[in-house]
Amino acid sequence: MAFDNNHIGFIGLGLMGVPMLRNLIQKTDDHCQFYLYDVASEPVEKLCAELPARTHQCQNPRDVAEKSDIIFTMVPEGAHVRAVYLTPETGILAARPGAALLCDCSTIDTATSLAVREAVIQQSPSTRFFDTPVSGGVLGAERATLTFMMGCAEDDPSLPLLKDLLGKMGRHLIACGGPSLGLTAKLCNNYCSGLIAIAVSEAMNIGMKSGMDPHVLASVFHSSTAQSAICDDWCPVPGLCPEAPASKGYKGGFKVQLMRKDFALAVDTANRVGAELALGEKGLEVYTETMNDPRCKDLDSRVVFRYLGGDEDWEKKDRSAPRQ
Ligand code: NAD
């Protein structure tokens, strides 16, 4: 498939979309033009004012699609993805001719992604649609170190182009096997990392309440079977990883409501495919309650340590006294 890569659309300029787009702009030729849309006009206007020679504000997703050969979408949930692609008159699929390659980077349910893909096949047979969700957070988006989980096979003819484009925003590009399997991989990853964050919080809490220095406990985990990126790099206990959100009042990072959304989508997927979950309902309850706790709302998901009653002021205390 031949593409004129000089016209690229981007829809959804939020926390992730803006830094991803900035890397794309920076790493493409000066004559490559970008067509932007977001329901909130402010981030689009800001970028267009900053980079007038490269960026153009569009009226709706159809407008983006009529001007672009390739489009990336990065919106919050399945309902937004449906609206962007399928709204009659103003959606991406209302464009004639439409774009040739569509990449949805949002984390949504697989059923919506497959329904959008089917609509693309029906209404615009020469267009290719892929689910390409990401992991790595805002920092990964800024540093162009995201992991992209691509919903395609290793021998998909579009893979070289996907790798070329996504490689400008990410470091690890993994073909997950076929349509919607990028999303499946993303949901499985977040189910797992969400449970590990709860487990690390609980285990740290046991050790700290028994009188252990959390630095010592973290170094034991690091060199034993409890080792994990959550404990090593994103520790829920404040003061152990200086760069982690926990050490900055749980600011920045991956919001607890996004973790709750992804966790719920993973549990739904498990129910649909008949995968038994021992911890799914409990994990979902923990993240739902954390998300609704006024002390935790809108903060990084590792704030689950606070929700579970972890001691955040441990550094100020004398740990030599015997604990009960
Ligand atoms: P965000 O809320 O910051 O940004 C989403 C943007 O989409 C907003 O600017 C919003 O105005 C726009 N939008 C909503 N509906 C729209 C529509 N119909 N048309 C056009 N624009 C619309 O969210 P985010 O943090 O950038 O996350 C986006 C997606 O990436 C989510 O699915 C999220 O789960 C996933 N994700 C986020 C992170 C993270 O750390 N924030 C990490 C990995 C994956």
Side-chain angles (χ1 to χ4, degrees), residues 240-299:
L240 293 191
C241 304
E243 292 308 311
S247 301
K248 300 173 180 173
Y250 297 101
K251 302 257 167 56
F254 186 60
K255 282 188 182 168
V256 62
Q257 56 266 41
L258 288 180
M259 175 56 88
R260 196 267 170 203
K261 174 194 70 147
D262 294 358
F263 203 93
L265 290 174
V267 171
D268 285 349
T269 306
N271 291 337
R272 188 168 47 75
V273 300
E276 186 89 11
L277 298 180
L279 303 174
E281 285 308 318
K282 190 66 201 174
L284 189 55
E285 185 188 311
V286 168
Y287 280 115
T288 305
E289 289 180 5
T290 306
M291 175 183 85
N292 291 328
D293 185 330
R295 299 170 308 136
C296 305
K297 206 173 170 358
D298 284 331
L299 296 175

Side-chain angles (χ1 to χ4, degrees), residues 28 57 73 82-83 86 104 117 125 143 162 187 220 229 232 239 244 254 269 280 309:
T28 44
Q57 182 166 15
T73 50
R82 277 183 191 274
L86 306 180
D104 181 33
R117 181 174 180 273
R143 294 177 179 168
L162 282 174
L187 298 179
V220 169
D232 289 353
F254 186 60
T269 306

Side-chain angles (χ1 to χ4, degrees), residues 193-208 217-218 221 226-232 234-237 240 302 304-305 308:
S193 78
L195 286 176
I196 292 171
I198 296 174
V200 169
S201 297
E202 290 184 337
M204 280 290 184
N205 215 357
I206 298 170
M208 290 165 75
L217 193 51
F221 286 0
Q227 191 276 331
S228 70
I230 294 293
C231 192
D232 289 353
W234 300 89
C235 192
V237 181
L240 293 191
R302 272 60 57 143
V304 70
F305 180 73
L308 291 168

Side-chain angles (χ1 to χ4, degrees), residues 10 12-21 74 134-139 141 146:
F10 209 109
L13 298 180
L15 284 173
M16 295 294 288
V18 168
M20 288 166 69
L21 173 64
M74 190 51 160
V134 306
S135 177
V138 174
L139 213 57
L146 292 171

